[in-house]
Amino acid sequence: MEPPAPRRRVTIVDVARHAQVSTTAVSKVLRNAYGASPEMRAKVRRAIDELGYRPHAGARGLRGQTYTIGVMLPDIRNPFFPEILDGITASLEDTEYQVLLGPGCNGEKAEARVTVAMIDRGMDGIILVAPVSSRAHLERLGAAVPTVVVGRHGSSAAYDTVADDDVEGAGLVVGHFAALGHRRIAHIEHHETDPTRLTEMPNARRADGYRQAMRDQGLEEWIDVISTSYTQEGGYRGAQELLARPVRPTAVFAGADIVAMGVLEAVAEAGLSVPGDLSVAGYDNTTFAAFGPISLTSVDQAGHELGRNAVRLLLERITDRGRRSAQVIISPTLVARRSTARLVE
């Protein structure tokens, strides 16, 4: 008995015939391009579903487009970054683009390997979340492929940026603490020494915003910054140092929710309570911040919106490589929960 003949691959021509439209119309729908009416899109989508059509990535690559977008995340253990990824994937849901992830591992060498691999594999564009790479490397990437940098400030003609207003966000935290009567407000930052990253990275902007807000509140003499890392371990070590002081702070602004988790751990280990002995606020408003037993006050920088705007800019850049670069800044909000309370002395 002879084996059955392999099924012929469904082509864009088959889809066009089934939907009774032109191949150009199908192509527009697949690219989510301008010029296809809602009715046309519905007909083509229905034909695609009925025929089981799947674009051939290899053939697309030969024509200069693969409909793949590379996304580099610096640390998959940080619960904020999936918020950005959700915004990215949701925005691409009605397109033919597929997202491929690469871990940046918070290091320049790792980022270089991942980003070069994305370019070598013909991805149509890349979204880099909080990269630590040098400006020169980012500009080389932007010259080679449409690129959007998320979470990093500064501007370049080679790539677009989307970021939260980290200075404003830090000011919201300090203002919240001050309104509750706190003066000894400490901040745990991510240690940074590179001059460019000191002006562009969100951790540096938040530390600057903290200092500026303390001065604006008339609390300059109580400025207190501990440099560790944006990790749970960094928050734990920073809190241990603060709690060991003869006069400890009454409030701590952790530069990220993951840092705040380490602070909460150290406070509990010391036999103290939050917010009874120490008010704690984070940054990112991750899902676990709203978890009842934690109830962490945090700054919401709208990770979903960061991802959505990154996709919008990237698709515009893919369509028009010559357009001027754009910078989008998202305004944050403070979400107050039970981890902060009025100071009782």
Side-chain angles (χ1 to χ4, degrees):
M1 181 176 180
E2 293 185 3
R7 182 181 176 186
R8 184 179 69 84
R9 188 182 184 95
V10 178
T11 68
I12 190 173
V13 175
D14 298 320
V15 173
R17 287 172 178 166
H18 193 76
Q20 296 182 323
V21 299
S22 68
T23 55
T24 300
V26 176
S27 178
K28 285 183 178 180
V29 173
L30 291 175
R31 291 183 289 112
N32 199 32
Y34 177 79
S37 67
E39 295 78 10
M40 179 78 72
R41 292 180 187 278
K43 288 177 65 176
V44 172
R45 292 291 177 192
R46 188 163 53 249
I48 288 172
D49 291 340
E50 291 173 357
L51 295 177
Y53 169 73
R54 291 196 54 77
H56 193 292
R60 284 179 161 188
L62 292 175
R63 293 196 299 269
Q65 198 163 5
T66 62
Y67 289 89
T68 55
I69 289 175
V71 177
M72 188 205 72
L73 299 179
D75 183 0
I76 60 174
R77 293 166 296 185
N78 188 319
F80 174 62
F81 296 130
E83 302 279 342
I84 299 175
L85 183 60
D86 283 348
I88 292 171
T89 55
S91 296
L92 293 171
E93 188 174 6
D94 293 328
T95 75
E96 291 302 309
Y97 286 98
Q98 295 296 317
V99 170
L100 297 180
L101 297 180
C105 303
N106 287 311
E108 289 194 46
K109 289 184 178 179
E111 286 187 3
R113 288 183 61 188
V114 168
T115 52
V116 169
M118 288 177 175
I119 293 174
D120 287 347
R121 283 156 179 77
M123 295 187 186
D124 295 336
I126 55 178
I127 296 174
L128 310 177
V129 179
V132 299
S133 294
S134 68
R135 171 77 73 83
H137 179 69
L138 296 178
E139 291 187 337
R140 284 194 294 271
L141 294 176
V145 64
T147 300
V148 176
V149 175
V150 177
R152 185 159 163 169
H153 298 270
S155 61
S156 169
Y159 54 83
D160 302 305
T161 61
V162 182
D164 164 69
D165 190 335
D166 294 290
V167 171
E168 179 184 351
L172 292 175
V173 175
V174 173
H176 174 69
F177 280 141
L180 293 173
H182 295 276
R183 297 183 300 280
R184 297 195 303 275
I185 305 166
H187 174 54
I188 299 177
E189 70 167 357
H190 182 87
H191 180 65
E192 190 64 76
T193 58
D194 181 87
T196 299
R197 293 203 292 264
L198 279 170
T199 63
E200 295 188 358
M201 294 300 285
N203 50 282
R205 288 292 183 96
R206 288 172 202 171
D208 289 343
Y210 158 80
R211 294 185 179 91
Q212 177 180 313
M214 290 290 282
R215 290 191 291 268
D216 292 344
Q217 294 285 344
L219 303 175
E220 185 171 6
E221 63 181 295
W222 284 288
I223 291 176
D224 187 1
V225 179
I226 300 294
S227 294
T228 57
S229 64
Y230 268 13
T231 62
Q232 186 168 341
E233 173 64 22
Y236 177 80
R237 287 188 286 109
Q240 280 190 317
E241 182 176 339
L242 291 170
L243 295 175
R245 292 178 176 172
V247 180
R248 61 176 181 248
T250 62
V252 172
F253 166 32
D257 284 359
I258 190 69
V259 180
M261 293 300 103
V263 174
L264 297 179
E265 180 184 2
V267 171
E269 188 179 273
L272 302 173
S273 68
V274 172
D277 296 298
L278 188 72
S279 282
V280 178
Y283 206 109
D284 292 335
N285 196 33
T286 49
T287 53
F288 65 68
F291 183 51
I294 297 174
S295 191
L296 177 69
T297 293
S298 185
V299 174
D300 186 350
Q301 59 170 322
H304 192 277
E305 283 299 297
L306 292 173
R308 186 183 68 79
N309 277 279
V311 167
R312 176 178 62 81
L313 292 178
L314 188 65
L315 295 184
E316 289 175 1
R317 175 72 70 169
I318 290 172
T319 301
D320 181 7
R321 289 287 277 134
R323 75 160 175 77
R324 294 182 61 182
S325 64
Q327 293 77 47
V328 174
I329 300 294
I330 304 294
S331 292
T333 57
L334 183 88
V335 181
R337 298 190 178 94
R338 293 196 308 273
S339 68
T340 54
R342 180 165 294 279
L343 179 64
V344 179
E345 293 184 306

